[in-house]
Amino acid sequence: MLARIVFAILALLAGLPAAAQTLVVSDKPDSVAVTLYRDPNRNEGALGRGWPAGYALVTETRTLRLPAGPAVIRFVGVSEGMMPETAIVTGLPHGVGEKNRDARLLGPATLVDAYLKRRVTVRRTDPATGKVSESEGVIQSGPRGGVLLSTEQGVEALGCSGLPEALVYPGIPADLAAKPTLSVSTASARAETVTVQLSYLAQGLDWSANYVAQLGEGDVLDLFGWMTVVNGGSQGFADARASAVAGKPNRERAARLPRGPDTELRLQCWPMGRTSDGMGFPPGPVAEPAPPPPPPPAPAMEIVVTGARVAFAPAMMAEQEELGDLKLYRVPEPVTVAARATKQIALLHRERVQFARIYRGRFTPFAYDPARESESEPTEIVLRAENRTAAGLGLPLPAGSVALFDTRGGRRVLLGESPLADRAVGDELELRPGESSEVRATVTARPGSKRRWNFRIAATNALAVPVVFEMPIPFRDTKSSTRLALRKGVPTWRVTVPANGTAALDLTLKRDR
């Protein structure tokens, strides 16, 4: 019986005109929780610029005063990237009858568009005397490419008279919202105060891990990690309970998020030169810009200055929790994720992490040519570590980027940056900060046969200390002067090259017919 009553109320609500519904406005949430998910197409590396391609689950708690009868509730200040089809409202006495995402935001351009063919007041100020004059006009065209007005003086272009000008409107149209808004229709049998939860997925947010690695004495480093959160939308989240999910939960492709009209007004005028200058034509309309990029993360050196304080306990650090096969990093205190901004929260800290320094060469076979001179190539620097407690780590590492620093003459020097994929406990991780011109590899082709290729590989070390050199040889049916090691299923030449010395390998490959 109760279900029939609820259905009858909702059916009646759908058939009532908008005027019969009381408007209830919720200006802001009482509290908000934001759970961030990474861009599923970004495996590692730093966050990209522009509109972030990650998403978030936003849960807002709001207190409303419902009237008796049908009502329309306007949830003001939802995320700009809100996907309305995912919105769920709980706590209303009789549920939701209809949802509408209001995408038209209040701004100079949208006001002009709303008042097309309508009367407005044109206010001009004489810069010499400060005298303000007002006259009436009708907006005939705009806002793209400029605004044309019909006044007592004729047809004028806004902003082209040489005087400071402004338009004064008699009111704000009801269909323009100052902030992104979700409207829902509902009904209540009596007037009451309710606490509701609004949950939805929102685009335009993303997060990544950013690590600072400081080399120490010997083959050890200190590792400090940041949780970097980017909000590309126009709405911030004040005092939010924030968390981030590491891993790749399955997500179906979402519908393209409809964007409202541009709120910025761009005025254009005809050239005001002499007739001898030629008439020319006014420039075409300016293309709509992409969503503004978020501010870049703090510069690496600033991060290092902050990271230098890790000898003391950070004021706040994210707490890791298990979430099935995923990892959840919960911020223990409320934080503000501002609009179009970047936020960083301490994620992890490990000291004296053991690593091995490797210099890796690249092998690419080529045909013997007596006229070809072999040239040496720089090697890739690889810092290899085991994600184990015994090696100084032993905790999951979310994907991101690593900035590697060393100390020279009492100052920190950036050695390079390296991407880092998700690494579980027990995994091996490699940091690749750059190339070395001091340790080089030379591959020389030698005369062979129709069935064999012959090569000589030389590794030279100009450093004053021995180094470990590796070169993967990803081919079958090989013969070499030194036995090749098997690393991750790939035959690899691994050798210690003495200081200011050279190591060599003779290699024969079977040619494909």
Side-chain angles (χ1 to χ4, degrees):
M1 178 60 70
L2 180 60
R4 292 182 180 178
I5 294 174
V6 172
F7 179 79
I9 292 176
L10 293 178
L12 178 61
L13 174 63
L16 286 174
Q21 301 177 8
T22 304
L23 182 64
V24 178
V25 178
S26 173
D27 291 323
K28 62 180 182 178
D30 302 331
S31 62
V32 62
V34 181
T35 303
L36 296 125
Y37 296 82
R38 297 182 310 207
D39 174 4
N41 297 318
R42 178 176 53 80
N43 295 322
E44 56 193 45
L47 290 165
R49 299 179 66 86
W51 181 255
Y55 59 103
L57 171 62
V58 181
T59 301
E60 302 177 358
T61 301
R62 302 190 183 221
T63 302
L64 310 173
R65 179 62 182 174
L66 291 181
V72 172
I73 305 172
R74 290 174 59 85
F75 294 100
V76 179
V78 297
S79 173
E80 180 182 356
M82 176 190 199
M83 292 181 275
E85 68 274 15
T86 67
I88 299 175
V89 181
T90 59
L92 292 174
H94 298 303
V96 173
E98 184 179 295
K99 295 185 298 182
N100 291 286
R101 167 72 161 84
D102 302 334
R104 285 171 53 84
L105 296 181
L106 180 64
T110 51
L111 272 172
V112 168
D113 183 63
Y115 273 87
L116 278 177
K117 307 299 181 182
R118 297 173 63 185
R119 192 170 298 276
V120 296
T121 301
V122 184
R123 179 178 294 167
R124 294 185 173 95
T125 303
D126 189 329
T129 63
K131 181 180 179 181
V132 177
S133 61
E134 293 185 348
S135 61
E136 290 190 343
V138 176
I139 299 178
Q140 298 295 348
S141 68
R144 294 178 182 271
V147 179
L148 294 181
L149 299 144
S150 295
T151 67
E152 294 180 354
Q153 288 74 33
V155 178
E156 303 180 46
L158 182 66
C160 299
S161 67
L163 297 176
E165 296 177 333
L167 296 181
V168 180
Y169 301 89
I172 298 176
D175 63 340
L176 291 183
K179 299 178 181 179
T181 301
L182 177 73
S183 298
V184 302
S185 59
T186 187
S188 178
R190 64 181 185 277
E192 58 181 316
T193 299
V194 296
T195 298
V196 301
Q197 276 198 341
L198 168 63
S199 300
Y200 56 89
L201 294 179
Q203 301 175 0
L205 298 102
D206 203 354
W207 84 278
S208 178
N210 288 93
Y211 301 94
V212 178
Q214 174 68 45
L215 294 181
E217 295 292 334
D219 290 338
V220 296
L221 58 81
D222 292 344
L223 188 67
F224 192 92
W226 296 96
M227 176 197 297
T228 301
V229 177
V230 175
N231 178 12
S234 60
Q235 292 302 115
F237 304 94
D239 297 325
R241 302 187 305 278
S243 56
V245 174
K248 284 190 175 182
N250 182 54
R251 182 190 178 203
E252 297 298 321
R253 183 180 296 274
R256 184 179 179 86
L257 184 65
R259 303 187 67 83
D262 191 4
T263 59
E264 184 178 352
L265 184 61
R266 301 174 181 85
L267 301 179
Q268 297 177 355
C269 302
W270 286 84
M272 299 183 66
R274 297 184 301 271
T275 55
S276 59
D277 294 336
M279 283 296 294
F281 291 93
V286 179
E288 287 191 21
M301 292 304 295
E302 291 185 15
I303 293 177
V304 170
V305 171
T306 306
R309 303 173 187 164
V310 298
F312 309 96
M316 179 174 61
M317 183 172 289
E319 300 170 351
Q320 178 197 318
E321 301 177 12
E322 301 296 324
L323 184 64
D325 292 334
L326 307 174
K327 303 298 180 185
L328 177 72
Y329 294 90
R330 188 184 304 278
V331 181
E333 300 176 13
V335 294
T336 295
V337 183
R340 297 191 177 102
T342 299
K343 183 93 176 176
Q344 287 191 306
I345 300 136
L347 182 66
L348 58 88
H349 177 215
R350 286 293 185 271
E351 295 180 338
R352 300 192 62 78
V353 178
Q354 302 170 20
F355 69 89
R357 188 190 302 265
I358 311 294
Y359 294 85
R360 185 156 57 200
R362 184 182 62 181
F363 176 74
T364 303
F366 54 90
Y368 170 70
D369 182 356
R372 176 174 178 174
E373 295 185 3
S374 300
E375 296 183 359
S376 65
E377 295 184 351
T379 56
E380 182 182 36
I381 303 172
V382 179
L383 305 185
R384 186 177 294 157
E386 297 290 334
N387 192 2
R388 295 180 291 106
T389 304
L393 278 176
L395 76 170
L397 298 175
S401 62
V402 183
L404 184 67
F405 291 84
D406 202 354
T407 303
R408 291 290 185 271
R411 300 181 61 183
R412 287 184 173 85
V413 179
L414 175 66
L415 299 182
E417 295 180 315
S418 173
L420 180 68
D422 287 319
R423 286 292 176 260
V425 175
D427 282 354
E428 177 187 88
L429 61 137
E430 290 187 345
L431 306 182
R432 303 182 296 277
E435 293 183 337
S436 170
S437 58
E438 301 294 324
V439 181
R440 305 182 71 87
T442 306
V443 179
T444 305
R446 292 186 165 187
S449 64
K450 293 182 178 180
R451 303 185 62 182
R452 300 286 178 183
W453 273 343
N454 295 324
F455 299 92
R456 185 172 182 81
I457 304 171
T460 58
N461 175 22
L463 298 174
V465 294
V467 299
V468 176
F469 173 83
E470 284 186 356
M471 178 177 282
I473 313 291
F475 295 92
R476 298 178 299 174
D477 299 329
T478 61
K479 293 182 179 180
S480 58
S481 57
T482 301
R483 184 174 180 180
L484 302 180
L486 201 62
R487 172 169 171 75
K488 295 185 177 180
V490 178
T492 301
W493 180 35
R494 180 183 173 93
V495 63
T496 299
V497 185
N500 299 305
T502 302
L505 175 75
D506 292 322
L507 181 69
T508 299
L509 298 182
K510 183 178 179 180
R511 299 182 65 171
D512 294 332
R513 294 183 179 180

